[in-house]
């Protein structure tokens, strides 16, 4: 083995990656060659110095939080209900292959609080007969109306082609900040979409049910927090959710 | 892949996340997210090295979060995270009081993130070149060259310490 060969092998040797035959040849060379031995010692000395670097152990709070959030009952992937037409299911599979990361349950209480706030705002509006404050099926009219009142511009999607007519919009509050509500209808049930800006990274769709008969579908995308709430049957809500989510991801 | 399989590797997961994100808060977020992803993708884990598998997800979570934040400081270590603060001393602050530890910390932190992750996985986790290649998603030759360059940069940064050791 020449010095040139040995030099190329120094790191691999120090990392224990050489096979037995090469190891023997390397050690034989280094035993007889001061220059190469010095280089090997320099490499080993660096490794020893690097061991002074802090090894960061998981804080106890993290270990607990992981245990809590990964307990089986809390981990729920969202899948569209099976009664969808087969072509819809296939399309949904494509859409949700990309969006299937579970949202980290870092703060379960925050999601519960938000679901409550979203439902409260809906019920308040229903009770006071103000489900929509601007009644229009034209996204071009609803969007600027909302933008002027909530301080951000929501993306108002036209889903008429899928049979979901836009009934209008409403400016509301969720968790103390302005939220835009867009209301859609296909059959008897209204579907409300509440949107507000967020700094959370994009997350895939998650589902929640409220015992009073309302269902939520929610996700983060493009700097916005989306919460859909409705008493529509799950199949219809999933159809709506899939189309809206896909349209928003397309940026249409 | 169950929760039990993840637990022994939480330290390794946190250590890698801490070195890649540069601060404890982001590191904890990453580890939590990575654990949920690991369980959601459990059907893709075919047995074998659970630690390397989890570290792959941790690494990918770090990088996808970097992209999501678009330019907020992530690879730079902010001064406040490693300046001991009398009121909020954590075990990390205590460890970094040692001058050598601080300099080694700074030298590793100054590495580009691909070199840094190779050094952390090799020197701290003792992963083989093959496992590092799997975690980083690059060929073994790339791992070796990253380690080489990282070590050359570290040698230079730490030259004064090594001289004083001999």
């Amino acid at each position: 083995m020449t010095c040139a060969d040995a030099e190329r092998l120094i790191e691999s040797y120090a990392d224990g990656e050489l096979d037995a035959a090469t190891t023997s040849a390397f050690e034989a060379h280094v035993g007889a060659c001061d220059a190469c031995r010095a280089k090997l010692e320099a490499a080993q000395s660096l490794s020893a110095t690097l061991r002074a670097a802090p090894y960061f152990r998981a804080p106890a709070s993290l270990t607990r939080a992981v245990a809590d959030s990964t307990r089986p009952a809390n981990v729920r992937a969202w899948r569209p209900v099976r009664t969808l037409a087969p072509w819809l299911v296939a399309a949904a599979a494509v859409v949700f292959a990309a969006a299937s990361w579970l949202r980290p349950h870092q703060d379960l209480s925050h999601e519960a609080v938000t679901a409550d706030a979203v439902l409260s705002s809906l019920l308040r509006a229903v009770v006071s007969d103000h489900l929509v404050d601007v009644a229009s099926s034209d996204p071009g009219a609803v969007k600027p109306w909302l933008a002027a009142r909530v301080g951000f511009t929501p993306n108002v999607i036209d889903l008429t082609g899928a049979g979901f007519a836009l009934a209008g919009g409403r400016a509301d509050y969720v968790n103390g900040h302005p939220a835009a509500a867009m209301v859609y209808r296909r059959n008897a049930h209204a579907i409300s979409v509440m949107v507000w800006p967020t700094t959370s990274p994009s997350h895939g769709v998650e589902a929640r049910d409220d015992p009073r008969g309302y269902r939520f579908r929610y996700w983060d995308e493009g700097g916005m927090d989306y919460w859909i709430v409705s008493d529509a049957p799950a199949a219809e809500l999933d159809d709506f959710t899939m189309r809206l989510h896909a349209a928003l991801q397309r940026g249409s | 892949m169950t929760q039990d399989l993840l637990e022994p590797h939480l330290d390794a997961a946190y250590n890698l996340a801490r070195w890649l994100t540069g601060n404890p808060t982001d590191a904890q977020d990453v580890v939590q997210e990575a654990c949920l992803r690991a369980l959601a993708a459990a059907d893709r884990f075919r047995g074998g090295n659970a630690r390397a598998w989890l570290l792959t997800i941790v690494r990918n979570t770090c990088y996808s979060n970097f992209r999501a934040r678009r330019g907020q400081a992530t690879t730079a270590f902010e001064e406040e995270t490693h300046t001991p603060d009398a009121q909020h001393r954590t075990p990390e602050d205590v460890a970094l009081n040692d001058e050598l530890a601080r300099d080694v910390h700074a030298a590793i932190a100054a590495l580009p993130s691909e070199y840094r992750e190779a050094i952390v996985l090799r020197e701290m986790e003792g992963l083989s070149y093959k496992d590092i290649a799997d975690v980083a998603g690059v060929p073994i030759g790339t791992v070796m060259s990253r380690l080489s360059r990282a070590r050359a940069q570290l040698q230079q940064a730490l030259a004064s310490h090594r001289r004083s050791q001999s």
Side-chain angles (χ1 to χ4, degrees), chain A residues 59-71:
Chain A
S61 57
L62 174 62
T63 310
R64 273 196 304 274
V66 167
D68 286 346
S69 64
T70 57
R71 218 175 292 127

Side-chain angles (χ1 to χ4, degrees), chain A residues 11 15 17 55-56 58 67, chain B residues 3 11 15 125 129 148 151:
Chain A
E11 283 188 43
D15 289 336
E17 294 276 343
Y55 185 97
F56 298 107
Chain B
Q3 190 183 346
D11 282 344
N15 185 57
E125 295 299 338
Y129 290 172
S148 237
R151 283 159 168 163

Side-chain angles (χ1 to χ4, degrees), chain A residues 10-23:
Chain A
I10 285 174
E11 283 188 43
S12 300
Y13 172 79
D15 289 336
E17 294 276 343
L18 295 183
D19 62 54
T22 317
T23 299

Side-chain angles (χ1 to χ4, degrees), chain A residues 48-190:
Chain A
T49 305
L50 291 179
R51 264 169 244 140
Y55 185 97
F56 298 107
R57 302 208 171 275
S61 57
L62 174 62
T63 310
R64 273 196 304 274
V66 167
D68 286 346
S69 64
T70 57
R71 218 175 292 127
N74 288 338
V75 175
R76 179 182 173 192
W78 180 70
R79 297 279 180 271
V81 172
R82 276 174 211 270
T83 50
L84 288 176
W87 70 264
L88 281 179
V89 173
V94 168
V95 168
F96 294 111
S100 65
W101 291 125
L102 294 173
R103 184 188 190 144
H105 287 267
Q106 295 160 15
D107 185 1
L108 288 171
S109 62
H110 176 70
E111 286 182 292
V113 164
T114 306
D116 233 20
V118 163
L119 182 57
S120 297
S121 96
L122 171 67
L123 294 176
R124 233 179 10 245
V126 167
V127 155
S128 60
D129 208 21
H130 274 279
L131 190 56
V132 298
D133 284 330
V134 54
S136 168
S137 59
D138 176 17
V142 172
K143 182 164 168 170
W145 189 96
L146 285 171
R149 280 155 186 80
V150 297
F152 61 90
T153 308
N155 201 349
V156 183
I157 304 287
D158 185 346
L159 293 173
T160 328
F164 294 104
L166 177 66
R170 176 179 86 248
D172 213 325
Y173 266 87
V174 167
N175 288 343
H177 51 69
M182 284 88 69
V183 181
Y184 296 81
R185 231 184 253 282
R186 182 158 76 181
N187 299 319
H189 303 277

Side-chain angles (χ1 to χ4, degrees), chain A residues 8 11-17 39 41-43 45-59 61-63 65-72 74-75 100-106 201-203 222, chain B residues 3 6-7 10-12 14-15 18-19 28-29 31-33 35-37 39-41 44 65 68 92 95-96 100-101 104-105 108 119 122-125 127-130 144 147-148 151 154-155 158 161-162 165:
Chain A
R8 271 196 304 274
E11 283 188 43
S12 300
Y13 172 79
D15 289 336
E17 294 276 343
K39 294 198 172 97
E41 282 167 4
S45 155
L46 176 65
S47 275
T49 305
L50 291 179
R51 264 169 244 140
Y55 185 97
F56 298 107
R57 302 208 171 275
S61 57
L62 174 62
T63 310
V66 167
D68 286 346
S69 64
T70 57
R71 218 175 292 127
N74 288 338
V75 175
S100 65
W101 291 125
L102 294 173
R103 184 188 190 144
H105 287 267
Q106 295 160 15
S202 298
H203 290 295
Chain B
Q3 190 183 346
L6 294 180
E7 221 192 289
L10 284 184
D11 282 344
Y14 181 74
N15 185 57
R18 178 67 179 77
W19 279 106
Q28 289 175 51
D29 288 353
V31 171
Q32 279 200 263
E33 185 175 337
C35 287
L36 285 168
R37 291 186 179 201
L39 289 177
R44 269 181 267 145
N65 284 357
E92 294 188 11
L96 291 167
L100 174 62
V104 173
H105 183 192
I108 298 178
I119 285 287
R122 172 82 277 278
E123 302 283 358
M124 297 184 193
E125 295 299 338
L127 258 54
S128 66
Y129 290 172
K130 162 99 182 43
M144 291 168 71
L147 282 172
S148 237
R151 283 159 168 163
L154 292 168
Q155 292 262 12
L158 297 169
H161 279 286
R162 291 191 309 106
Q165 272 183 335

